[in-house]
Coordinates of all heavy atoms in Angstrom, one line a residue:
E7 N 125.0 129.3 99.5 CA 124.4 129.4 100.8 C 123.9 128.1 101.3 O 124.0 127.8 102.5 CB 123.2 130.4 100.8 CG 123.6 131.8 100.7 CD 122.4 132.7 100.8 OE1 121.4 132.4 101.5 OE2 122.4 133.8 100.3
D8 N 123.5 127.2 100.4 CA 123.0 125.9 100.9 C 124.1 124.8 101.0 O 123.9 123.7 101.3 CB 121.9 125.4 100.0 CG 122.4 125.2 98.5 OD1 123.3 125.8 98.1 OD2 121.7 124.4 97.8
Q9 N 125.4 125.2 100.8 CA 126.5 124.3 100.8 C 127.1 124.2 102.2 O 127.3 125.2 102.8 CB 127.6 124.7 99.8 CG 128.7 123.7 99.6 CD 129.7 124.1 98.5 OE1 129.8 125.3 98.3 NE2 130.3 123.1 97.9
T10 N 127.3 123.0 102.7 CA 127.9 122.9 104.0 C 129.4 122.9 103.9 O 130.0 122.7 102.8 CB 127.5 121.5 104.7 OG1 128.0 120.4 103.9 CG2 126.0 121.4 104.8
V11 N 130.1 123.1 105.0 CA 131.5 123.1 105.1 C 132.0 121.7 104.6 O 133.0 121.6 103.8 CB 132.1 123.4 106.5 CG1 133.6 123.2 106.5 CG2 131.7 124.9 106.8
S12 N 131.4 120.7 105.1 CA 131.9 119.3 104.7 C 131.7 119.0 103.3 O 132.6 118.4 102.6 CB 131.2 118.2 105.6 OG 129.8 118.3 105.4
S13 N 130.6 119.5 102.6 CA 130.4 119.2 101.2 C 131.4 120.1 100.4 O 131.9 119.6 99.4 CB 129.0 119.5 100.8 OG 128.7 120.9 100.9
W14 N 131.7 121.3 100.9 CA 132.7 122.1 100.2 C 134.1 121.5 100.3 O 134.8 121.4 99.3 CB 132.7 123.5 100.9 CG 133.8 124.4 100.3 CD1 133.7 125.2 99.2 CD2 135.1 124.6 100.8 NE1 134.9 125.8 99.0 CE2 135.8 125.5 100.0 CE3 135.8 124.1 101.9 CZ2 137.1 125.9 100.2 CZ3 137.1 124.5 102.2 CH2 137.7 125.4 101.3
M15 N 134.4 121.0 101.5 CA 135.7 120.4 101.6 C 135.9 119.1 100.8 O 136.9 118.9 100.1 CB 136.0 120.0 103.1 CG 137.3 119.4 103.4 SD 138.7 120.4 103.0 CE 138.7 121.6 104.3
L16 N 134.8 118.3 100.7 CA 134.8 117.1 99.9 C 135.0 117.5 98.4 O 135.8 116.9 97.7 CB 133.6 116.3 100.1 CG 133.5 115.0 99.3 CD1 134.6 114.1 99.7 CD2 132.1 114.3 99.6
N17 N 134.3 118.6 98.0 CA 134.5 119.0 96.7 C 135.9 119.5 96.4 O 136.5 119.2 95.3 CB 133.5 120.2 96.4 CG 133.6 120.7 94.9 OD1 133.6 119.9 94.0 ND2 133.6 122.0 94.8
M18 N 136.5 120.2 97.3 CA 137.9 120.7 97.2 C 138.8 119.5 97.1 O 139.7 119.4 96.2 CB 138.3 121.5 98.3 CG 137.7 122.9 98.4 SD 138.5 124.0 97.1 CE 137.1 124.1 96.0
L19 N 138.7 118.5 97.9 CA 139.6 117.3 97.9 C 139.4 116.5 96.7 O 140.4 115.9 96.2 CB 139.3 116.5 99.2 CG 139.7 117.1 100.5 CD1 139.2 116.2 101.6 CD2 141.1 117.3 100.6
T20 N 138.2 116.5 96.1 CA 137.9 115.7 94.9 C 138.3 116.4 93.6 O 138.9 115.8 92.7 CB 136.4 115.3 94.9 OG1 136.0 114.7 96.1 CG2 136.1 114.4 93.7
N21 N 138.0 117.7 93.6 CA 138.2 118.4 92.3 C 139.2 119.4 92.3 O 139.5 120.0 91.2 CB 136.8 119.0 91.9 CG 135.7 118.0 91.8 OD1 135.9 117.0 91.2 ND2 134.6 118.3 92.4
G22 N 139.8 119.8 93.4 CA 140.8 120.8 93.5 C 142.1 120.4 92.9 O 142.6 119.3 93.0
T23 N 142.8 121.4 92.4 CA 144.2 121.2 92.0 C 145.1 121.1 93.2 O 144.7 121.5 94.3 CB 144.7 122.4 91.1 OG1 144.8 123.6 91.9 CG2 143.8 122.6 89.9
M24 N 146.3 120.6 93.0 CA 147.3 120.5 94.1 C 147.5 121.9 94.7 O 147.6 122.0 95.9 CB 148.6 119.8 93.7 CG 149.6 119.7 94.8 SD 148.9 118.7 96.2 CE 149.0 117.0 95.5
E25 N 147.7 122.9 93.9 CA 147.9 124.3 94.4 C 146.8 124.7 95.3 O 147.0 125.3 96.3 CB 148.1 125.2 93.2 CG 148.4 126.6 93.6 CD 148.5 127.6 92.4 OE1 148.5 127.1 91.3 OE2 148.7 128.8 92.7
V26 N 145.5 124.5 94.9 CA 144.4 124.9 95.6 C 144.3 124.1 97.0 O 144.1 124.7 98.0 CB 143.1 124.7 94.9 CG1 141.9 124.9 95.8 CG2 143.0 125.7 93.7
L27 N 144.6 122.8 96.9 CA 144.6 122.0 98.1 C 145.6 122.5 99.1 O 145.4 122.5 100.3 CB 144.8 120.5 97.7 CG 143.7 119.8 97.0 CD1 144.1 118.4 96.6 CD2 142.4 119.8 97.8
V28 N 146.8 122.8 98.6 CA 147.9 123.3 99.5 C 147.4 124.6 100.2 O 147.6 124.7 101.4 CB 149.2 123.5 98.8 CG1 150.2 124.3 99.6 CG2 149.8 122.1 98.4
K29 N 146.8 125.5 99.5 CA 146.3 126.7 100.0 C 145.2 126.4 101.1 O 145.2 127.0 102.2 CB 145.8 127.6 99.0 CG 146.9 128.2 98.1 CD 146.3 129.1 97.0 CE 147.4 129.6 96.1 NZ 146.9 130.5 95.0
V30 N 144.3 125.5 100.8 CA 143.2 125.2 101.7 C 143.8 124.6 103.0 O 143.4 125.1 104.1 CB 142.2 124.2 101.1 CG1 141.2 123.7 102.1 CG2 141.4 124.9 99.9
V31 N 144.7 123.7 102.9 CA 145.3 123.1 104.1 C 146.1 124.2 104.9 O 146.0 124.2 106.1 CB 146.2 121.9 103.7 CG1 147.0 121.4 104.8 CG2 145.4 120.8 103.1
A32 N 146.8 125.0 104.2 CA 147.5 126.1 104.9 C 146.6 127.0 105.7 O 146.9 127.4 106.8 CB 148.4 126.9 103.9
I33 N 145.5 127.3 105.1 CA 144.5 128.2 105.8 C 143.8 127.4 106.9 O 143.7 128.0 108.0 CB 143.5 128.7 104.8 CG1 144.2 129.7 103.9 CG2 142.3 129.4 105.5 CD1 143.4 130.2 102.7
L34 N 143.5 126.1 106.7 CA 143.0 125.3 107.8 C 144.0 125.3 109.0 O 143.6 125.3 110.2 CB 142.6 123.9 107.4 CG 141.4 123.9 106.4 CD1 141.2 122.5 105.9 CD2 140.1 124.4 107.1
W35 N 145.3 125.1 108.6 CA 146.3 125.1 109.6 C 146.3 126.5 110.4 O 146.5 126.5 111.6 CB 147.7 124.9 109.0 CG 148.9 124.8 109.9 CD1 148.9 124.5 111.2 CD2 150.2 124.9 109.5 NE1 150.2 124.4 111.7 CE2 151.0 124.7 110.7 CE3 150.9 125.2 108.3 CZ2 152.4 124.8 110.7 CZ3 152.3 125.2 108.3 CH2 153.0 125.0 109.5
G36 N 146.2 127.6 109.7 CA 146.1 128.9 110.3 C 144.9 129.0 111.3 O 145.0 129.6 112.3
I37 N 143.8 128.5 110.8 CA 142.6 128.5 111.7 C 142.9 127.7 113.0 O 142.6 128.2 114.1 CB 141.4 127.9 111.0 CG1 140.9 128.8 109.9 CG2 140.2 127.6 112.0 CD1 139.9 128.2 108.9
W38 N 143.5 126.5 112.9 CA 143.8 125.7 114.0 C 144.9 126.5 114.9 O 144.7 126.5 116.1 CB 144.4 124.4 113.6 CG 145.0 123.6 114.7 CD1 144.3 122.8 115.6 CD2 146.4 123.5 115.0 NE1 145.2 122.2 116.5 CE2 146.5 122.6 116.2 CE3 147.5 124.1 114.5 CZ2 147.7 122.3 116.7 CZ3 148.7 123.8 115.1 CH2 148.8 122.9 116.2
F39 N 145.9 127.0 114.3 CA 146.9 127.7 115.0 C 146.4 128.9 115.8 O 146.7 129.0 117.0 CB 148.0 128.2 114.0 CG 149.1 129.0 114.6 CD1 150.2 128.3 115.2 CD2 149.2 130.3 114.6 CE1 151.3 129.0 115.7 CE2 150.2 131.0 115.2 CZ 151.3 130.3 115.7
F40 N 145.6 129.7 115.2 CA 145.0 130.9 115.9 C 143.9 130.6 116.8 O 143.7 131.3 117.7 CB 144.7 132.0 114.9 CG 145.9 132.7 114.3 CD1 146.3 132.5 113.0 CD2 146.7 133.5 115.1 CE1 147.4 133.1 112.5 CE2 147.8 134.1 114.6 CZ 148.2 133.9 113.3
R41 N 143.3 129.5 116.6 CA 142.3 129.0 117.6 C 143.0 128.7 118.9 O 142.6 129.0 120.0 CB 141.6 127.7 117.1 CG 140.6 127.1 118.0 CD 141.3 125.8 118.6 NE 140.4 125.2 119.6 CZ 140.9 124.6 120.7 NH1 142.2 124.5 120.9 NH2 140.1 124.0 121.5
N42 N 144.2 128.0 118.8 CA 145.0 127.8 120.0 C 145.5 129.0 120.6 O 145.5 129.1 121.8 CB 146.1 126.8 119.6 CG 145.7 125.4 119.4 OD1 144.6 125.0 119.8 ND2 146.6 124.6 118.7
K43 N 145.8 130.0 119.8 CA 146.3 131.3 120.3 C 145.1 132.0 121.1 O 145.4 132.5 122.2 CB 146.7 132.3 119.2 CG 148.0 131.9 118.5 CD 149.1 132.1 119.4 CE 150.4 131.9 118.7 NZ 151.6 131.9 119.6
K44 N 143.9 131.8 120.7 CA 142.7 132.4 121.4 C 142.5 131.6 122.7 O 142.3 132.2 123.7 CB 141.5 132.3 120.5 CG 140.2 132.7 121.2 CD 140.3 134.1 121.7 CE 139.0 134.5 122.4 NZ 139.1 135.6 123.4
V45 N 142.5 130.3 122.6 CA 142.3 129.5 123.8 C 143.3 129.7 124.9 O 143.0 129.9 126.0 CB 142.2 128.0 123.4 CG1 142.1 127.1 124.6 CG2 140.9 127.8 122.6
W46 N 144.6 129.7 124.5 CA 145.7 129.6 125.4 C 146.3 131.0 125.8 O 146.9 131.2 126.8 CB 146.8 128.7 125.0 CG 146.3 127.3 124.8 CD1 146.1 126.6 123.6 CD2 145.8 126.4 125.8 NE1 145.5 125.4 123.9 CE2 145.3 125.2 125.2 CE3 145.7 126.5 127.2 CZ2 144.8 124.2 125.9 CZ3 145.1 125.4 127.9 CH2 144.7 124.3 127.3
E47 N 146.1 132.0 124.8 CA 146.7 133.3 125.1 C 145.7 134.4 125.0 O 146.1 135.6 125.1 CB 147.9 133.5 124.0 CG 149.0 132.5 124.1 CD 150.0 132.6 123.0 OE1 150.0 133.7 122.3 OE2 150.8 131.7 122.8
D48 N 144.4 134.1 124.7 CA 143.4 135.0 124.6 C 143.7 136.1 123.5 O 143.4 137.2 123.6 CB 143.0 135.7 125.9 CG 141.7 136.4 125.8 OD1 140.8 135.9 125.1 OD2 141.4 137.4 126.5
R49 N 144.3 135.6 122.4 CA 144.8 136.5 121.3 C 143.8 136.4 120.2 O 143.5 135.3 119.7 CB 146.1 136.0 120.8 CG 146.7 136.9 119.7 CD 148.1 136.5 119.4 NE 148.5 137.1 118.1 CZ 149.6 136.8 117.5 NH1 150.3 135.8 117.9 NH2 149.8 137.4 116.3
M50 N 143.3 137.5 119.8 CA 142.3 137.6 118.7 C 143.0 138.1 117.4 O 143.9 138.9 117.5 CB 141.2 138.6 119.1 CG 140.3 138.2 120.2 SD 139.3 136.7 119.8 CE 138.2 137.4 118.6
V51 N 142.6 137.5 116.3 CA 143.1 137.9 115.0 C 141.9 138.0 114.0 O 140.8 137.5 114.3 CB 144.1 136.9 114.5 CG1 145.3 136.9 115.4 CG2 143.5 135.6 114.3

Side-chain angles (χ1 to χ4, degrees):
E7 285 186 30
D8 62 335
Q9 190 175 27
T10 64
V11 172
S12 58
S13 66
W14 176 83
M15 181 61 75
L16 183 59
N17 183 47
M18 287 286 109
L19 292 173
T20 306
N21 302 314
T23 64
M24 182 57 76
E25 182 182 354
V26 169
L27 290 175
V28 167
K29 289 178 182 178
V30 168
V31 169
I33 292 168
L34 290 173
W35 184 19
I37 292 169
W38 171 81
F39 179 81
F40 285 108
R41 176 256 178 213
N42 286 343
K43 291 288 186 188
K44 171 62 181 157
V45 169
W46 302 110
E47 300 173 16
D48 199 28
R49 180 173 169 194
M50 293 292 293
V51 296

